[in-house]
Amino acid sequence: MTGDVTHDPPPAAGGRQGRPLIVTEDAELLDDLLRLCAAAGATPQVHHSLPEQRGGWESAPLVLVGDDAARRVRGAARRRGVVLVGRNQDDSGVWKRAVQIGADHVLMLPDGEQWLVDRIADVAEGVGRPALTVGVVGGRGGAGASTLACALAVTSAREGLRTLLVDADPLGGGLDVLLGGEAAEGLRWPAFAASRGRVGGGALEESLPKLHELRVLSWDRGDCVAVPPQAIRAVLAAARRRGGTVVVDLPRRLDDGVAETLTQLDVGLLVVPAELRAVAAAGRVASAIGMVLRDLRVAVRGPYAPGLDDREVSRLLGLPLAGEVPVEPGLLRPDYGRTPPGGAPRGPLARFCKEFWERALAEAGSG
């Protein structure tokens, strides 16, 4: 059980990592709190009463006060990020003690363990602004969505942003192949199929292949073609907590896993070749995705059929125009795999991606 008294505790200032403070003399409670800190990847400070060192109470990013110690910290300076932790579900007096010490939350073990692990992990990871997360999907097969997703990720990494490229299409052949890194060491999606609860952002990042200065979560060449929605939720949430950008290459179908992925997106790009049949197919894709993702924009790819241009495609689909995706001549060569999509900084595709990120990041900042 958890209960709110005032407001949520803050993350570590400026996204910095910090050590939570535990105040208790209850040996059994301390064992549980140490176990939960270990599960969250945090090493706490432990005191039986208020820390004697100056600023110890005030500077800790999160303070866990055992119910046995509430009386001993009653005179401490009021601050955010104090949690009163107890075990007796029937003790109504715990709320009074929480108010007396200025606690933000009252938590009863074992019911509130997962909530507390998540909050401690936020402190351990130094949570700041979440990553701007962009999904890319083709309006029809062969529209070039995977190419654009890779180009966006490569461009983001080149601009110095922490970047993760996620392959959400198990039948697409693998984005690591498109980037020329199918043999690179690191985990692929099947390794995360059993993930539940919270995945550590730092551990996720370090476990994935690093290609062209970005991290890639792709599929292997095994038989696994699906990951449970709860695993997708845990992995994408961990990726977003690391900040920077996340680019997701989406399939054109909508199932539970894709729906979960869509809930994690900030912006969607629907890549549509400028031909009538592609526009018709894209309309159906947009209708399905639009039920979950509110900010869906169209990226039009030429050459144009008679009577069509990028604005007309946008009008027919009833979606805002993200721009015209240029053709990268080098990608048409048989040896294009040596240079990833968007890998030429002065190429037209890289310029398109750079302009997109400038706009999207500005919008995210103003929002």
Side-chain angles (χ1 to χ4, degrees):
M1 180 187 80
T2 64
D4 295 342
V5 176
T6 53
H7 42 238
D8 290 341
R16 296 189 301 271
Q17 294 181 343
R19 297 178 61 192
L21 170 64
I22 297 175
V23 182
T24 184
E25 282 187 325
D26 184 330
E28 185 177 355
L29 179 61
L30 178 58
D31 285 344
D32 282 336
L33 293 178
L34 291 175
R35 171 176 56 84
L36 297 178
C37 285
T43 302
Q45 312 171 55
V46 179
H47 293 269
H48 296 317
S49 59
L50 281 176
E52 295 181 0
Q53 69 268 31
R54 182 178 178 84
W57 169 270
E58 293 85 355
S59 63
L62 181 67
V63 178
L64 309 178
V65 179
D67 194 28
D68 65 290
R71 177 179 53 83
R72 296 192 294 277
V73 302
R74 193 178 299 169
R78 295 302 175 101
R79 50 153 295 163
R80 296 178 62 195
V82 176
V83 181
L84 184 62
V85 186
R87 294 178 175 280
N88 187 354
Q89 303 275 359
D90 300 322
D91 181 9
S92 60
V94 68
W95 298 99
K96 180 179 179 181
R97 293 190 291 277
V99 171
Q100 290 173 341
I101 67 172
D104 297 319
H105 292 272
V106 173
L107 181 141
M108 292 295 172
L109 299 179
D111 292 356
E113 286 193 355
Q114 186 57 58
W115 181 92
L116 188 54
V117 168
D118 288 347
R119 195 51 59 91
I120 297 170
D122 283 344
V123 169
E125 293 185 22
V127 174
R129 181 188 291 274
L132 177 60
T133 306
V134 177
V136 186
V137 61
R140 66 155 170 80
S146 296
T147 298
L148 179 57
C150 288
L152 285 169
V154 168
T155 304
S156 171
R158 187 168 52 239
E159 294 298 310
L161 297 170
R162 175 185 279 118
T163 305
L164 172 62
L165 175 62
V166 178
D167 187 352
D169 186 0
L171 303 181
L175 292 186
D176 54 350
V177 177
L178 184 56
L179 291 174
E182 61 272 20
E185 294 186 0
L187 300 182
R188 269 66 173 179
W189 264 119
F192 300 97
S195 298
R196 300 292 186 274
R198 185 183 180 106
V199 174
L204 171 69
E205 183 176 355
E206 292 301 318
S207 71
L208 299 177
K210 186 176 183 180
L211 304 170
H212 308 288
E213 301 306 315
L214 59 99
R215 298 287 177 169
V216 181
L217 176 53
S218 187
W219 296 85
D220 60 14
R221 264 43 75 183
D223 296 331
C224 178
V225 294
V227 172
Q230 56 267 36
I232 293 174
R233 181 186 312 120
V235 169
L236 290 182
R240 285 174 58 83
R241 287 195 303 272
R242 296 291 287 171
T245 67
V246 176
V247 181
V248 184
D249 183 29
L250 295 163
R252 293 177 58 244
R253 68 179 189 279
L254 186 61
D255 56 24
D256 290 344
V258 176
E260 179 58 47
T261 303
L262 292 174
T263 65
Q264 301 276 357
L265 301 181
D266 298 307
V267 181
L269 292 179
L270 179 64
V271 184
V272 184
E275 56 189 47
L276 287 176
R277 189 179 178 193
V279 173
R284 305 194 67 171
V285 175
S287 295
I289 291 178
M291 292 188 296
V292 183
L293 179 61
R294 293 185 178 276
D295 191 350
L296 181 62
R297 311 175 190 182
V298 61
V300 183
R301 183 172 64 80
Y304 292 95
L308 285 181
D309 60 18
D310 52 359
R311 285 183 168 78
E312 180 64 8
V313 173
S314 172
R315 187 191 68 80
L316 290 172
L317 292 172
L319 295 174
L321 179 63
E324 178 185 353
V325 181
V327 175
E328 187 83 66
L331 297 182
L332 303 178
R333 297 197 306 265
D335 63 345
Y336 81 90
R338 298 177 184 175
T339 301
R346 297 185 179 181
L349 188 55
R351 291 199 302 270
F352 171 87
C353 294
K354 183 177 181 179
E355 291 172 1
F356 169 80
W357 284 124
E358 288 174 350
R359 292 194 305 270
L361 291 166
E363 292 169 3
S366 63

